[in-house]
Amino acid sequence: MVSVSVLCVALVASACGGGGAGGGDNSGPPQTGGTLRYGLSQAPTCADPAQAGTNQTIYLTRQVVDSLTDQDPKTGAIVPWLAQRWEVSPDATQFTFHLRPGVTFSDGTPVDAAAVRSTFDAITKTLGLVKAPLGASYLSGYTGTTVVDPLTARVSFSGPNAQFLQASSTPQLGILAAKTNAETVEQRCQGPVIGSGPFVYTDYQQDRSAKLKKRTGYTWSSPAFAHSGEAYLDGIDFTVVPESGVRTGSIASDQLDTISDALPQDAAQITGAGGSVLTTPNPGVPFGLQLNVTRGPLVDPAVRKALVPAINRQELVDTVLGPDFKPATGVLASKTPGYTKLSGVRFDASAAAAQLQAAGWVPGADGIRVKNGARLKFAVLYSAVFAGNQAVLELVQQQLKKVGVDLALDLTSNAEFTARQNSGDYDSIYGNVTRADGDILRSLFSVTQRNLSHSAAIPALEQAFAGELATVDTTKRNALLATAQQQLLDNGFYVPTIELSQAIGAGPKAHGVRFDASARLQFHDTWLSKN
């Protein structure tokens, strides 16, 4: 077995931290009590952490579920949480977790090895890749969990799975009570799910709102939190406020304490009211177009690869988003362990036009290129899950038109976006995926996982994915991830645009609003001043 300290170092390639606290004057000792009023920019899609995918949903579900481990937002190190220690087999096929004694779910049942088994069994057998795409991909090759004794769980895989330790820190693999794990997919989504987190559900209205209250007697916080013991807040009320200006005005008028997606134009009003805008960059896959290589002109690899230099990413940031955001420089965000800056991700409209011309796509009468009678046109499927998506894509549309590409914007609801993504009914999809580990690429692009590009197997790419799963050596793993990133670019599977940053507006009464290692919020340390 590999010791916990050795593996922690091996799996962390760089600092993944964010942290952040604040809202107004953050001086003075934290005060207990009060209900935080939080304005979500989009509706939560599911009460179940295992099925949660959007940031707005995870802001909610993270508060009710604890994980076996946590990831320190400052160092990226994997630290204990529900598991006080663990061992990993030399081939990374078995992970043995020794659980804290005395921890309970909110229904009073123990957090034990049987709960670990039922949680992971439910993700793989009941939910699967369609309903729990991230969690199920993290458990790829899962063969079962052995209850060694009530507080010892051995999780086994059919092959090496070096990414699993970091995955065990995510909310998607948070440990849930047996009652929740026995429910149907739909029942889990409607809630309330039963976790061991510092908050519990008191009300959940699908797509509309949610209410949480403090878990009395909570004493098993992660060492990555700022304090131990119960949460400071009595509760959290989440409401959906889609309009950015309304969210900002609600901070200024003291109707909300914190809000999601505080856009650059909102900052002056928030700070003028005595609040602040808290930001941190997201690790994982940056925003970009994932291309379906089986449809229309995107079948042509020359077209796919020409799209990358056609986009002026700095203009996207400067025009739409502001200085808290970065242009993407690869198929991983720069904060992600294993990130490689790719020289091919650059703006060169002349080179893009030349590549298209050389591939036989010539300008038509209206400037849009044609080949064999077909126009160079494709659609991008997207939702408003991030407030800046439409403005960014409208500018991308203008940039591509300059090199003769007609991009059609296909805005849908979150539900339709998910359904069409799962069915493959799209030319391309626009989005990002957050995770503080480079293995997120395997989840999206491997033919054994979601394969949203619908490509045939690329041997060099699949070998890189298999290799990074098989080693806990940081240098070797990063080299394999670098190969995977270059292969994704060379095959024209992904067109990166911008790196997402979380921008949270905090009013003058809200303090200790903190980001975890994956740039999601944890409210255990948040408190409200009384004046």
Side-chain angles (χ1 to χ4, degrees):
M1 291 288 183
V2 178
S3 71
V4 56
S5 59
V6 170
L7 194 70
C8 282
V9 172
L11 283 181
V12 177
S14 65
C16 318
D25 180 6
N26 204 30
S27 63
Q31 301 175 30
T32 59
T35 297
L36 184 81
R37 301 160 299 173
Y38 192 96
L40 296 164
S41 60
Q42 291 289 317
T45 59
C46 185
D48 181 11
Q51 298 182 63
T54 69
N55 283 331
Q56 306 307 304
T57 306
I58 294 171
Y59 288 165
L60 169 66
T61 59
R62 173 79 279 185
Q63 316 314 316
V64 302
V65 67
D66 297 330
S67 300
L68 289 171
T69 64
D70 200 4
Q71 189 168 11
D72 189 288
K74 295 181 180 178
T75 68
I78 306 301
V79 298
W81 197 350
L82 292 178
Q84 55 188 359
R85 57 188 176 89
W86 53 85
E87 298 92 38
V88 181
S89 64
D91 62 358
T93 61
Q94 291 188 336
F95 298 74
T96 303
F97 296 94
H98 303 272
L99 305 179
R100 288 191 189 192
V103 180
T104 60
F105 294 108
S106 59
D107 65 352
T109 58
V111 176
D112 57 13
V116 175
R117 179 175 62 191
S118 70
T119 295
F120 293 163
D121 284 358
I123 290 172
T124 54
K125 297 175 182 178
T126 303
L127 301 178
L129 274 171
V130 172
K131 294 299 183 180
L134 294 178
S137 72
Y138 301 160
L139 289 169
S140 177
Y142 173 76
T143 58
T145 297
T146 301
V147 177
V148 178
D149 61 48
L151 292 179
T152 307
R154 179 172 297 126
V155 184
S156 300
F157 297 89
S158 59
N161 196 0
Q163 61 82 40
F164 175 68
L165 187 63
Q166 190 279 335
S168 72
S169 72
T170 64
Q172 286 82 9
L173 295 189
I175 307 304
L176 298 171
K179 182 178 179 181
T180 292
N181 291 324
E183 290 179 336
T184 66
V185 172
E186 293 76 17
Q187 288 172 328
R188 291 172 64 125
C189 239
Q190 293 296 327
V193 298
I194 302 169
S196 64
F199 293 91
V200 298
Y201 285 108
T202 59
D203 183 66
Y204 182 82
Q205 301 294 325
Q206 183 72 40
D207 296 323
R208 288 187 294 177
S209 64
K211 296 181 184 295
L212 307 180
K213 70 175 181 180
K214 174 169 66 177
R215 170 81 189 277
T216 302
Y218 183 85
T219 59
W220 45 86
S221 59
S222 160
F225 292 179
H227 84 284
S228 59
E230 297 178 1
Y232 295 127
L233 297 169
D234 288 336
I236 310 171
D237 287 353
F238 292 91
T239 56
V240 180
V241 187
E243 301 83 5
S244 174
V246 176
R247 289 196 306 275
T248 303
S250 297
I251 286 275
S253 62
D254 194 30
Q255 293 176 299
L256 292 173
D257 299 302
T258 43
I259 61 170
S260 292
D261 292 347
L263 299 179
Q265 60 266 30
D266 303 323
Q269 189 174 4
I270 293 172
T271 56
S276 61
V277 177
L278 315 174
T279 62
T280 192
N282 282 51
V285 178
F287 267 109
L289 286 78
Q290 187 154 0
L291 309 179
N292 183 344
V293 304
T294 67
R295 294 193 23 164
L298 297 178
V299 171
D300 186 345
V303 169
R304 302 197 303 267
K305 288 186 278 189
L307 298 176
V308 177
I311 294 177
N312 185 338
R313 294 161 186 83
Q314 190 64 54
E315 184 181 38
L316 299 179
V317 170
D318 294 343
T319 304
V320 178
L321 299 172
D324 289 324
F325 291 79
K326 296 179 180 179
T329 54
V331 296
L332 282 177
S334 56
K335 185 181 174 181
T336 317
Y339 156 81
T340 295
K341 183 177 182 179
L342 300 176
S343 60
V345 181
R346 68 188 191 283
F347 173 56
D348 190 340
S350 297
Q355 290 175 40
L356 293 170
Q357 191 78 17
W361 293 92
V362 298
D366 61 355
I368 300 302
R369 293 177 182 272
V370 295
K371 181 179 180 179
N372 299 327
R375 285 168 59 83
L376 210 176
K377 179 179 181 178
F378 67 96
V380 56
L381 178 71
Y382 73 104
S383 74
V385 66
F386 169 57
N389 277 358
Q390 182 159 335
V392 167
L393 285 174
E394 286 172 351
L395 186 51
V396 168
Q397 184 183 50
Q398 295 171 28
Q399 293 175 352
L400 292 181
K401 188 174 183 179
K402 292 178 180 178
V403 299
V405 178
D406 185 2
L407 178 67
L409 305 188
D410 189 359
L411 174 63
T412 67
S413 66
N414 287 337
E416 183 181 353
F417 178 89
T418 300
R420 289 178 59 185
Q421 178 179 265
N422 289 339
S423 69
D425 181 19
Y426 54 85
D427 298 333
S428 67
I429 53 178
Y430 186 73
N432 79 305
V433 183
T434 297
R435 187 186 176 192
D437 191 283
D439 181 71
I440 191 63
L441 295 174
R442 180 185 61 88
S443 299
L444 291 185
F445 294 101
S446 173
V447 294
T448 67
Q449 300 299 311
R450 301 180 73 186
N451 188 21
L452 295 178
S453 296
H454 298 280
S455 70
I458 305 296
L461 180 61
E462 296 302 324
Q463 289 166 13
F465 287 147
E468 62 94 1
L469 276 182
T471 181
V472 296
D473 180 276
T474 301
T475 302
K476 292 179 180 178
R477 192 164 187 256
N478 286 351
L480 290 159
L481 286 171
T483 297
Q485 291 166 73
Q486 191 64 57
Q487 283 292 316
L488 290 171
L489 191 68
D490 289 348
N491 285 280
F493 291 163
Y494 202 70
V495 183
T497 57
I498 57 102
E499 294 190 6
L500 177 65
S501 287
Q502 295 306 306
I504 304 299
K509 296 180 182 179
H511 308 272
V513 181
R514 299 181 183 275
F515 298 104
D516 67 12
S518 292
R520 273 66 178 259
L521 294 175
Q522 65 91 347
F523 292 110
H524 176 262
D525 297 320
T526 302
W527 57 280
L528 292 170
S529 56
K530 302 300 190 292
N531 47 31

